[in-house]
Amino acid sequence: MAAAVCLTQVTAHDLKAPEVPPEQLSLIQPPLAGSETFARDLTRHWQGLVSEDQMEASQRIAEKLGWLEKSGKGTVAGLGIRETAWLKWRVSEEIRALADGVSGLQTLDFRQKGFLESDLIDVDPQQGLMVLKVVLGDGPVNFVTHTMDFTTERDPAPYQIPVGVGGTTYVLLRLEEIPAGGPSTLRVGFQSSEASAPPRWWSFKFRTPEFGNLGVRIVDDSGAPVPAMVRLTAKKSRRIWEPAGAADLRPMMNDVTSLPIYGPGRGYMMWVPEPWRGHYWVMPGPFEMALPAGEWEVHVWRGLENVPVKLDVTVKAREWTRQNIFSKRWIDMGAKGWFAGDDHVHARVMSGEDADKLMAWTRAADLAVCNVLEMGDDVRTWYAQRGFGPQYRVQNGNHWIVPGQEDPRGVLGHAIGLNLTEKVRDLDRYLDHRWVAQEIHRQGGLYGHTHVGAKALFVERQMALYTPFELVDFNSVMQAALNTELMYHYLNLGYKMTASAGTDTPYGGTVGSVRVYAFAGNSGEFNPDAWFRAVKKGHTFVSTGPMIDFRVGEAIPGDELEIRDDKPLKVRIVASGLVGKSAPKFVRLIRFGKILKEVTGTAPAKGNLELECEVPPGKGGWLAAQVIGEDGSEALTTPVYLKRQGFRTWDVEQVPQLLDAQEAVLRDIENVVADSKKLVGSRPMDYTLKSVAKGADTLLEHVAQARNHYRELASIREKELVSRKLR
């Protein structure tokens, strides 16, 4: 039936840190048991339970919960132990007052009776929530959230609700798979933690409205049914329901999919700009299902090139409602030679069934290339693949699944290998990324660094150590969002940096919500080998919405322009987006990480925005295009490199501080090696320490080679300063 509600809780990110009223300092009490969890659930699921008069109180509680969430993630200015204790106390007190006034509150007072029977209660299955006030005595107050699944026939656990000893317990009761019609009767037991106390029983007599039936068929421009990402929401309660027939991807994923941040269940989070952000289900084709009569919303998303759809439908009792939903393209990048890929997807593919499910997901996201990665560390691997190489690719039209790996993963960051013919993994030299990259290249594959945009999981060590060896084919600068800091650092040292993007599914959300476009040409039927060749050449841009056509003369992203004179270069950026959503608000020409030229769109933004200018070539360097959409979506190209003989494509002024930063990272790696050597004997089961200690000599050799390379860059800079007449 229903899945967890996906609503954005009000947070305090932009609010002033709360100040504790001095007169309340002496009143602060420990929070009532379970009150914070109860409050979070109630403020997320308030529709239909909280009246308009209570909205302000609910908002205040949600703001306090937002601050508590921030305090749990690290130090927050102005939010210390005293303020946190006050917040918890106030949430506890305020949620108690709010719970006493919710709509449909059932008060069950067992102080004089051991068994209670309700009058007939009307239950709204769209809401699926009840608040109970269970009174056993005059003892303490506490709070419980409990799920009752009506499909359970033999297991009594869902119908046994834990309550406090001899006091009052507020219960937020989630009702799943509620039977239609009625009346129905159910016996519910309330069991206190006091071992000798017998359960207290409530005979719950209820009825629900009759159901109707909804049929949905999603079709493309040709009228053919297509897979899509779908969300189904009850308008009144804002509760999300799982569409019938959704692909069950859980067997292909690790247990992380059971966590609320990734799940729930078979639904997956999609980190796209509002109002489309949220949980969606992979629908391989049309679906039909019975639903409670009422008003519903259907959200359909099919990648960045298709117009997302929100459709309001009315389901009538004992009737059919059938809808054709038309998924229309606002742009066809494939027709222009640009094909979308995701460089970072994790899923087990060990059968045709697995492949079919992942292909449905790939097609639902309208991706040309889904790189499915077996993931490893210094102990084992996850997300097994049945094989590597062309014979293990999966194709459906212009949609392809290509197996690869995310391995090694460790203290030197996470590496990705794309388009492999065999897995590259040797635990005896696990942290030797140089060997890994060479083996991947021997196969004709691509070696790259992930989590570059997130600046996470020691990627700075990986980049400092291996970028000088010219082994790196791409860097993932976009995961949930774009971050260019590390990419720009290395570009400004004169290294080529190809921009790529990947979702890190299932950890980062659903396939294709961020993507890398590669120019594979439009000479005929798409082949992924052309896509990988384009990535190798740097013919890419990354996006969460806008599209970019960037040219310097006739050069496209990744090209190198030979500069022979001082004639100005003609630059043209054509940005496009979906009106009202990803339509370009800012188009920027970037040089050395700084905005050289910018064009601002109208408000509201139109579908296209162009920037044309002439740029003096100087001593060379690099130029890139960046676009910010009206909805906050982003896009960035790989640079066009301006190469003048005798000069690197770098920012000669920034080089000293950037070289200092590399030296700091190299010293950090040396410290990691030294610490591992000291600790490995005292922690025999720590395999990461073993890997570092085993590979210490090779690592230190690579550090020395990288350091020599950076020192050589310092010497080259001194010579260039003379050539540039800056010395």
Side-chain angles (χ1 to χ4, degrees), residues 171-425:
V171 180
L172 183 62
L173 190 58
R174 303 171 184 265
L175 306 175
E176 303 284 359
E177 299 291 349
I178 308 172
S184 302
T185 302
L186 186 70
R187 289 216 317 165
V188 181
F190 299 94
Q191 180 65 61
S192 74
S193 56
E194 188 178 7
S196 61
R200 304 298 182 95
W201 293 98
W202 174 40
S203 180
F204 174 31
K205 188 176 182 181
F206 66 95
R207 66 185 175 194
T208 66
E210 293 290 338
F211 281 34
N213 290 278
L214 175 66
V216 174
R217 186 172 177 265
I218 300 162
V219 298
D220 62 10
D221 292 318
S222 70
V226 287
M229 305 299 297
V230 176
R231 183 168 76 235
L232 181 62
T233 310
K235 288 189 70 173
K236 178 181 177 182
S237 66
R238 309 308 304 164
R239 191 171 188 180
I240 295 176
W241 287 51
E242 179 176 306
D248 187 359
L249 300 159
R250 290 173 296 180
M252 301 163 59
M253 303 295 179
N254 287 354
D255 56 0
V256 296
T257 56
S258 64
L259 301 176
I261 189 173
Y262 303 120
R266 292 187 289 184
Y268 292 86
M269 187 65 185
M270 194 160 65
W271 298 102
V272 293
E274 298 288 5
W276 301 96
R277 180 174 298 175
H279 286 92
Y280 286 75
W281 281 256
V282 179
M283 300 304 301
F287 67 94
E288 296 177 345
M289 63 188 300
L291 288 171
E295 303 298 317
W296 295 83
E297 291 176 355
V298 183
H299 283 80
V300 175
W301 185 88
R302 292 198 61 245
L304 304 186
E305 298 176 39
N306 293 274
V307 180
V309 179
K310 173 184 170 291
L311 183 68
D312 294 333
V313 296
T314 301
V315 175
K316 296 182 179 180
R318 299 181 297 280
E319 293 186 15
W320 274 97
T321 299
R322 298 188 183 275
Q323 292 285 345
N324 279 338
I325 298 179
F326 297 93
S327 176
K328 298 289 186 181
R329 286 189 178 277
W330 65 268
I331 195 169
D332 186 349
M333 293 300 291
K336 301 173 183 289
W338 291 88
F339 292 88
D342 188 325
D343 73 19
H344 198 161
V345 173
H346 296 298
R348 181 198 73 192
V349 181
M350 292 294 286
S351 67
E353 180 185 8
D354 290 347
D356 288 344
K357 290 178 179 179
L358 186 56
M359 178 53 74
W361 206 350
T362 301
R363 293 178 63 207
D366 193 31
L367 280 181
V369 181
C370 173
N371 292 284
V372 56
L373 309 180
E374 186 165 319
M375 183 178 83
D377 62 16
D378 44 23
V379 177
R380 55 161 291 189
T381 61
W382 289 265
Y383 306 108
Q385 302 300 302
R386 55 187 173 180
F388 299 85
Q391 67 271 38
Y392 294 104
R393 294 173 176 176
V394 182
Q395 179 190 8
N396 187 312
N398 279 349
H399 307 280
W400 293 76
I401 298 169
V402 182
Q405 69 181 63
E406 185 188 9
D407 201 13
R409 296 164 62 252
V411 297
L412 294 183
H414 294 194
I416 283 180
L418 301 182
N419 196 28
L420 303 182
T421 57
E422 59 182 309
K423 185 162 50 178
V424 179
R425 179 175 167 85

Side-chain angles (χ1 to χ4, degrees), residues 484 487-488 491 497 499 540-541 548 550-552 556-558 571-573 587-597 611 621-627 635-642:
T484 58
M487 178 182 178
Y488 287 175
L491 285 169
M497 290 272 120
T540 68
F541 71 88
I548 308 179
F550 172 51
R551 298 176 187 270
V552 181
I556 66 171
V571 174
R572 186 168 187 254
I573 305 171
V587 175
R588 295 166 177 165
L589 177 62
I590 307 296
R591 183 168 190 169
F592 296 137
K594 300 174 182 177
I595 299 173
L596 183 63
K597 302 283 185 180
L611 185 157
W622 59 271
L623 297 171
Q626 181 186 23
V627 179
L636 177 77
T637 69
T638 293
V640 171
Y641 304 96
L642 312 179

Side-chain angles (χ1 to χ4, degrees), residues 438-658:
Q438 290 167 344
E439 286 297 301
I440 290 173
H441 289 154
R442 180 183 60 79
Q443 300 178 24
L446 305 182
Y447 167 85
H449 297 157
T450 189
H451 309 305
V452 177
K455 293 177 60 181
L457 301 170
F458 308 120
V459 67
E460 69 283 356
R461 296 174 181 169
Q462 185 181 39
M463 295 184 75
L465 194 53
Y466 295 109
T467 300
F469 297 140
E470 297 184 351
L471 298 167
V472 186
D473 298 306
F474 64 92
N475 286 277
S476 288
V477 296
M478 179 179 278
Q479 193 165 310
L482 176 68
N483 187 326
T484 58
E485 181 180 341
L486 290 176
M487 178 182 178
Y488 287 175
H489 282 182
Y490 287 93
L491 285 169
N492 285 337
L493 281 173
Y495 300 107
K496 291 185 176 181
M497 290 272 120
T498 293
S500 189
T503 50
D504 196 8
T505 299
Y507 307 95
T510 188
V511 170
S513 52
V514 305
R515 56 191 61 201
V516 51
Y517 280 87
F519 184 71
N522 51 6
S523 57
E525 184 177 353
F526 172 73
N527 185 297
D529 290 322
W531 191 87
F532 289 113
R533 287 194 296 269
V535 174
K536 181 79 171 180
K537 294 176 182 176
H539 297 333
T540 68
F541 71 88
V542 298
S543 181
T544 56
M547 303 297 154
I548 308 179
D549 183 355
F550 172 51
R551 298 176 187 270
V552 181
E554 296 301 315
I556 66 171
D559 283 346
E560 186 176 279
L561 271 180
E562 197 72 34
I563 305 299
R564 294 187 172 90
D565 53 37
D566 293 326
K567 183 179 179 180
L569 302 170
K570 292 184 178 181
V571 174
R572 186 168 187 254
I573 305 171
V574 179
S576 54
L578 184 58
V579 174
K581 297 177 178 61
S582 59
K585 185 177 181 181
F586 301 105
V587 175
R588 295 166 177 165
L589 177 62
I590 307 296
R591 183 168 190 169
F592 296 137
K594 300 174 182 177
I595 299 173
L596 183 63
K597 302 283 185 180
E598 180 179 80
V599 174
T600 303
T602 58
K606 295 181 180 179
N608 294 286
L609 187 61
E610 297 185 14
L611 185 157
E612 289 188 279
C613 64
E614 291 188 340
V615 175
K619 301 301 182 184
W622 59 271
L623 297 171
Q626 181 186 23
V627 179
I628 308 296
E630 188 175 18
D631 58 3
S633 55
E634 303 168 284
L636 177 77
T637 69
T638 293
V640 171
Y641 304 96
L642 312 179
K643 180 63 177 176
R644 188 182 286 270
Q645 187 174 1
F647 299 91
R648 284 178 69 85
T649 59
W650 59 5
D651 184 349
V652 71
E653 294 182 1
Q654 291 192 48
V655 169
Q657 67 190 63
L658 295 176

